[in-house]
Amino acid sequence: MVDLSIDLGKGLRLANPVMTASGTFGYGLEFADVVDLNRLGAIIVKGTTLNPRQGNPYPRMAETPSGMLNAVGLQNKGVDYFISEIYPKIKDLESPLIVNVSGSQPEDYAEVCRRLSSLERVKAVEINISCPNVKQGGMAFGTTCSGAEKVTSAARESWDRHLIVKLSPNVTDITEIARAVEATGADSVSLVNTFLGMAIDVERRRPVLSTVTGGLSGPCIRPIAVRMVWQTAKSVKIPVIGLGGIMDGRDALEFLMAGASAVEIGTANFVNPSATEDVIDEISEYCNRHGIESLSELRI
Amino acid sequence: MKYLLDFKLSETRPTQAGDAMLVLEPLDKEKGAAALAEARPGQFVNIQVLQSHGTFLRRPISICDADAEQGLLFLYVKDAGAATHCLCNAREGDVFSILLPLGNGFSFDETYSDALLIAGGVGIAPMLLLAKKMNEAGLSPSMLIGAVNKDRLILTEELSSVGNLYISTDDGTSGEKGFVSQHSVLCRDWKHILCCGPLPMMKGIAAIAKERGIDCQVSLENVMACGLGACLCCVEDTADKGNVCVCKEGPVFNINRLKW
Ligand SMILES: Cc1cc2nc3c(=O)[nH]c(=O)nc-3n(C[C@H](O)[C@H](O)[C@H](O)COP(=O)(O)OP(=O)(O)OC[C@H]3O[C@@H](n4cnc5c(N)ncnc54)[C@H](O)[C@@H]3O)c2cc1C
Ligand SMILES: Cc1cc2nc3c(=O)[nH]c(=O)nc-3n(C[C@H](O)[C@H](O)[C@H](O)COP(=O)(O)O)c2cc1C
Ligand code: FES
């Protein structure tokens, strides 16, 4: 029997490498009827900001070939609401909880992390550096090394448990950003976030999304994500968490073989609400069939 | 409770050009019966259409009828694009993964004796289960349905058997000529309106209801992905809570919550 457990360091131990991607699984509770939440490697909840955010106007979604564009715009009720209303409902789950943190300036990230520190069951934060930096004209922190470093070090100062930095793929060389956040104190990196994309309603001659552009996710991005994970895993020493278009166990294995220590399931949850559990079963079945005893053997 | 179940197409009942009434049977009879017993009018399912190769996401379809005893789910589908085209042309025995029942349906209680159900187009579909459930509550609902012409009217026989049916067609080939919003039955003293149809129609009815102080519920059809309140793609801007998920808090809303 394969041992699917994995230790990502600094107290983040997973029973299996399958986590939920932020923004695609709510707070877990939304899927409680169709997924055994206690089986998941970890639950990464919705992007959380210091203050409540209404997000972008409707329409926020466009279906695309083998994927979708979204422009949700980090709608959430803020970190204090998470602490008082959501956390009590999910803290007794067996799976470790990870909060995805977003902000528009480094101080926001630091403050959200500080407030989350009181929550014992939050074993890690995942810092979303794809957010626009308001002070620098809205360019995403994650697209420059200096922006990524600023956010990482601000979060690091107020968070002493496991710190994941989630990288934006909208860059020329993702390994450069990965090395920068590693040097600034990240305990692991997760990649990829969504690719900037656009869709036009040809009949009405207008963009489909209210924001014109949005984030592309789903299997259409998978080969690019696998390539980026492969490159990044070779250039940093910290664990790499892979995601981008994983629909089933086979897809997850691709990332594990490319050098990822764990994976996240995102858009697949919309297509197959039990995708997370199915991926766990399929990885396990594959390993048993191939006589693999530990996940590290998978890496090519 | 929500269920993720496989259903087998047992029959496609022909309707007008292209539309279809799908009769589906759960493979797992026990869970299927439980899911069907929980279905409330106005709720919907999210169905995966693997047969449609270009379709990535599931498609939301209203529960037209749910018969827990016989273990049958009825979906009325209009051919509006790739996925619905495949549904309308599916073969007996085809299996579909269906997530159900989703959302909050219409609200009513036994005091709703002076309620008018108004529907147009494919919005007529959820009215069948609504009228049946109102029957079970001892009510005989009045229903006003509209279409472009007599050939586009749907479910007239089924609806006539569960309440008083009023009809309007744009060209006057059946019932009163004109839009539902112009039908004479609207002039009666209604206390409640429960409405489902194209957006302009619902907005027209909502305006009348507001003007006359009639309590009014409408069912929205925002584009959806998860159907579970997780992705936040389907939001409607409400007066009381800002952006809320239509799939979870709706699809039925009281018009006083909407910024119409
Ligand atoms: C709560 C709800 C209940 C519905 N009930 C019924 C019903 O009982 N019968 C019925 O025939 N149709 C119903 N619809 C509409 C149905 O979901 C769309 O017609 C269908 O998704 C179109 O998919 P397609 O691939 O055939 O066409 P497409 O070419 O993809 O789209 C055709 C039209 O459908 C809309 N649409 C596309 N994708 C979605 C989506 N994921 N969510 C919502 N709308 C979408 C598009 O905006 C477009 O206007 C309902 C929609 C909602 C939200
Ligand atoms: C509707 C939606 C909302 C998302 N919200 C967030 C978010 O709040 N924070 C974040 O870091 N990533 C967010 N993402 C990105 C996903 O977590 C993931 O990185 C991306 O979708 C690629 O993976 P996938 O192809 O498996 O979905 C969101 C994606 C989608 C589709
Ligand atoms: S469709 Fe995902 S939240 Fe409504």
Side-chain angles (χ1 to χ4, degrees), chain A residues 58 61 63, chain B residues 42-46 52 55 57-64 75-86 122-123 125-126 219-225 246 251:
Chain A
Y58 180 84
M61 194 276 282
E63 188 180 33
Chain B
Q43 286 190 305
F44 63 99
V45 307
N46 215 4
S52 175
T55 300
L57 296 167
R58 287 173 180 258
R59 292 294 189 261
I61 302 288
S62 302
I63 298 175
C64 178
L75 302 178
Y76 188 94
V77 181
K78 179 187 163 188
D79 187 342
T84 47
H85 181 78
C86 275
V122 75
S219 183
L220 304 185
E221 278 203 4
N222 291 15
V223 174
M224 296 181 178
V246 168

Side-chain angles (χ1 to χ4, degrees), chain A residues 33 54 58 60 63 271, chain B residues 2 57-59 223 232 243:
Chain A
D33 288 342
Q54 275 295 315
Y58 180 84
R60 294 176 167 186
E63 188 180 33
V271 176
Chain B
K2 299 173 188 83
L57 296 167
R58 287 173 180 258
R59 292 294 189 261
V223 174
L232 308 187
N243 286 330

Side-chain angles (χ1 to χ4, degrees), chain A residues 21-23 47 70 74 100 128 166 192-194 217-218 243-245 266-267, chain B residues 231:
Chain A
S22 177
N70 90 82
L74 298 171
N100 178 274
N128 173 9
K166 183 168 182 182
V192 296
N193 211 314
T194 54
S217 63
L243 74 152
T267 304
Chain B
C231 70

Side-chain angles (χ1 to χ4, degrees), chain A:
Chain A
M1 272 300 271
V2 59
D3 173 16
L4 289 183
S5 70
I6 167 98
D7 189 342
L8 293 176
K10 268 240 177 102
L12 185 58
R13 272 182 297 273
L14 315 178
N16 64 68
V18 181
M19 306 189 260
T20 60
S22 177
T24 65
F25 205 68
Y27 295 107
L29 301 166
E30 293 83 347
F31 285 77
D33 288 342
V34 288
V35 171
D36 178 357
L37 299 176
N38 292 317
R39 276 195 72 199
L40 304 178
I43 297 173
I44 304 185
V45 304
K46 197 176 277 186
T48 302
T49 52
L50 187 55
N51 299 309
R53 283 178 57 102
Q54 275 295 315
N56 294 317
Y58 180 84
R60 294 176 167 186
M61 194 276 282
E63 188 180 33
T64 60
S66 295
M68 61 181 273
L69 286 163
N70 90 82
V72 170
L74 298 171
Q75 178 179 334
N76 78 103
K77 291 184 175 161
V79 64
D80 293 336
Y81 181 87
F82 174 78
I83 293 171
S84 63
E85 305 297 322
I86 308 289
Y87 180 71
K89 293 186 192 143
I90 56 177
K91 72 177 186 4
D92 296 325
L93 293 173
E94 279 161 38
S95 311
L97 303 177
I98 298 175
V99 177
N100 178 274
V101 178
S102 297
S104 48
Q105 47 186 358
E107 303 84 78
D108 296 354
Y109 286 88
E111 185 55 28
V112 173
C113 291
R114 195 170 298 122
R115 294 190 194 178
L116 291 171
S117 304
S118 62
L119 311 180
E120 202 193 324
R121 292 288 302 149
V122 176
K123 297 295 180 194
V125 290
E126 180 181 54
I127 301 298
N128 173 9
I129 60 171
S130 296
C131 305
N133 178 349
V134 287
K135 282 191 186 149
Q136 273 176 19
M139 191 168 56
F141 288 110
T143 54
T144 61
C145 288
S146 70
E149 282 163 358
K150 278 196 192 100
V151 175
T152 307
S153 65
R156 184 73 282 175
E157 272 170 36
S158 53
W159 183 257
D160 51 20
R161 277 165 253 170
H162 191 102
L163 182 84
I164 308 169
V165 176
K166 183 168 182 182
L167 306 181
S168 163
N170 300 307
V171 293
T172 310
D173 180 4
I174 201 164
T175 66
E176 196 179 81
I177 314 277
R179 282 191 300 272
V181 303
E182 177 180 40
T184 326
D187 297 311
S188 63
V189 285
S190 56
L191 59 150
V192 296
N193 211 314
T194 54
F195 287 81
L196 197 62
M198 177 170 171
I200 296 174
D201 182 332
V202 172
E203 287 302 321
R204 295 155 80 195
R205 291 196 231 167
R206 326 203 279 238
V208 179
L209 301 176
S210 68
T211 49
V212 181
T213 60
L216 184 65
S217 63
C220 56
I221 69 170
R222 192 171 61 235
I224 320 178
V226 172
R227 181 265 294 175
M228 288 182 160
V229 165
W230 164 256
Q231 291 174 323
T232 305
K234 283 196 295 188
S235 58
V236 295
K237 295 195 180 62
I238 51 176
V240 172
I241 298 162
L243 74 152
I246 299 176
M247 299 302 287
D248 55 25
R250 192 218 69 89
D251 299 348
L253 285 157
E254 252 195 286
F255 281 86
L256 296 171
M257 290 177 189
S261 302
V263 294
E264 297 177 15
I265 313 299
T267 304
N269 292 306
F270 309 154
V271 176
N272 170 16
S274 65
T276 44
E277 277 195 277
D278 294 350
V279 170
I280 299 170
D281 294 338
E282 287 159 20
I283 293 176
S284 171
E285 184 276 328
Y286 175 93
C287 291
N288 291 334
R289 185 156 48 85
H290 287 265
I292 286 160
E293 281 165 14
S294 123
L295 291 174
S296 55
E297 292 170 44
L298 286 168
R299 198 160 167 170
I300 55 172

